[in-house]
Amino acid sequence: MPRNMTQYWADFLFTWSLFAAGMATWLFATLAWSIIGLIVGVFAAYRCGSFMHEIVHFNRRNKSEMAFKAGWNILFGIPILSPSHLYDAHLEHHMPDSFATVQDPEYVPIHNRSLLGLAHFVNGHVIGPISMVALRMLLNPIIWIFPSLGNRLMQGKGTALVINWDYIPTGKQKPTQFDQAAIIMATLLLYIYLAAIISGFVPLLTAFKILLLVILSMVINGIRTLVAHRYINYDRQSVSREAQLLDSVNLIGNRFFGGLLAPVGLRYHALHHLVQTLPYHGLEKAHEALMAQLPDDDVYRSVNVTVGEAMQQLRSGEKTTEAIPAS
């Protein structure tokens, strides 16, 4: 199914407008309205950010897709200091030889499945990557002049948005000229932000409120990441495609709530692992077609759970089947 770029633009621009309106209301309105603005701004920022997942799967030779990538970065990715290039390592999450291994940037087996342990997962794999990326950008001017110093200081950290701290960047996804420019612009913006705060041009309270909105949106993404997989591959060896599917989750149930928690097609994460090329607007129809045609005992049916069921399985460490080693 081809990507409907008109739908991408309409969806993103409408959501970005909600984000801007929510941010303005949160910053400048009276208390009751500001709380509403915060809620709208958080979920709109989260949906805007979720387009990064689509962008990383775009075809670099497709001009219309690259135009959307540029627009998204200029309007959203660069201003929040998260150009889409920081997410390019996501493609290794889909590679058969790296999925769920130490070289998977987005997979960490969860050993402590108490509520506190799951909260630690969300906190450690949301705030940590954000902090490392910000630190890397802060040090970028020095690193550009002394590359070896950067490697010693950061050891590859902060060059990608990852949740697996054992992951070593491979550089398989080479940055384009636009990607390189986006990193430079984001670095300059970070210094501009800091100068505006230090000089008093932007009050500390305003800076705190902006940061709070962005972090809350990323915490929601951390919760969504928590229920995207079952994280049961403790030996970190490569597994079969069936095992990859069984470790992944489709979030069924209430469409509105599911769309808030996992927007832009992220509800169908297991299906996405089966067919990476499907655009987000085609996932639901593909899922419905599969459910209508597959036999009752097909393995695909076992990956469809509600958010509550996904959390229950995470708490118990429940496996639908044993991990099947790759042949």
Side-chain angles (χ1 to χ4, degrees):
M1 173 185 289
R3 300 184 189 275
N4 183 343
M5 297 314 298
T6 299
Q7 181 168 341
Y8 274 77
W9 277 109
D11 189 342
F12 170 63
L13 291 176
F14 176 74
T15 307
W16 185 88
S17 298
L18 285 179
F19 163 65
M23 177 73 81
T25 305
W26 165 231
L27 293 178
F28 304 115
T30 56
L31 180 60
W33 279 105
S34 68
I35 297 302
I36 294 173
L38 174 63
I39 295 171
V40 171
V42 164
F43 281 98
Y46 174 39
R47 185 175 182 87
C48 281
S50 296
F51 277 96
M52 184 187 289
H53 178 257
E54 288 288 305
I55 290 170
V56 76
H57 288 283
F58 279 1
N59 181 352
R60 290 187 174 187
R61 297 179 180 178
N62 188 305
K63 292 183 179 179
S64 61
E65 293 179 9
M66 291 301 97
F68 180 86
K69 172 184 175 179
W72 182 90
N73 276 281
I74 292 168
L75 287 174
F76 189 78
I78 294 171
I80 67 164
L81 310 181
S82 296
S84 59
H85 174 60
L86 294 176
Y87 198 56
D88 280 354
H90 168 75
L91 292 178
E92 294 184 57
H93 177 58
H94 289 277
M95 294 179 181
D97 59 344
S98 58
F99 175 85
T101 70
V102 292
Q103 270 306 107
D104 185 338
E106 297 178 30
Y107 191 102
V108 180
I110 301 176
H111 295 276
N112 181 1
R113 293 174 180 267
S114 66
L115 286 176
L116 185 60
L118 298 182
H120 177 71
F121 175 96
V122 173
N123 178 67
H125 301 301
V126 173
I127 305 302
I130 297 170
S131 302
M132 292 304 295
V133 166
L135 178 60
R136 176 82 186 196
M137 288 193 178
L138 191 65
L139 295 175
N140 266 345
I142 298 174
I143 292 172
W144 292 333
I145 299 173
F146 306 105
S148 60
L149 176 61
N151 291 332
R152 291 199 301 271
L153 288 174
M154 301 295 292
Q155 297 180 336
K157 305 299 184 185
T159 58
L161 289 168
V162 303
I163 67 172
N164 173 19
W165 290 99
D166 294 326
Y167 169 77
I168 300 174
T170 61
K172 289 181 179 179
Q173 303 301 317
K174 301 297 183 183
T176 64
Q177 288 185 335
F178 177 84
D179 293 331
Q180 294 172 333
I183 294 294
I184 293 172
M185 287 187 283
T187 300
L188 292 175
L189 265 182
L190 174 59
Y191 278 92
I192 292 172
Y193 291 160
L194 290 174
I197 295 169
I198 293 171
S199 68
F201 182 77
V202 174
L204 278 174
L205 178 60
T206 300
F208 171 78
K209 292 176 75 172
I210 294 172
L211 184 62
L212 177 63
L213 187 153
V214 173
I215 287 179
L216 285 177
S217 72
M218 292 182 174
V219 168
I220 297 173
N221 183 58
I223 296 171
R224 194 275 312 169
T225 301
L226 183 65
V227 295
H229 288 283
R230 295 188 169 104
Y231 303 102
I232 56 177
N233 188 21
Y234 296 106
D235 60 15
R236 311 303 295 275
Q237 299 300 310
S238 58
V239 296
S240 68
R241 286 185 61 83
E242 181 179 344
Q244 291 181 37
L245 174 64
L246 288 168
D247 200 312
S248 307
V249 171
N250 286 335
L251 295 175
I252 60 171
N254 187 282
R255 292 180 62 187
F256 177 76
F257 179 69
L260 283 178
L261 180 62
V264 194
L266 292 173
R267 287 178 63 198
Y268 301 101
H269 194 70
L271 177 56
H272 172 66
H273 270 269
L274 279 179
V275 191
Q276 300 174 45
T277 55
L278 269 178
Y280 80 98
H281 53 75
L283 286 169
E284 185 170 21
K285 289 183 179 179
H287 169 76
E288 291 174 349
L290 284 172
M291 294 301 289
Q293 298 176 31
L294 291 174
D296 292 342
D297 60 350
D298 190 90
V299 67
Y300 180 78
R301 293 185 181 276
S302 67
V303 303
N304 302 312
V305 296
T306 65
V307 174
E309 289 169 341
M311 288 300 298
Q312 183 179 7
Q313 291 175 2
L314 277 173
R315 290 291 310 279
S316 64
E318 175 186 337
K319 303 181 183 181
T320 55
T321 187
E322 294 297 319
I324 305 169
S327 57

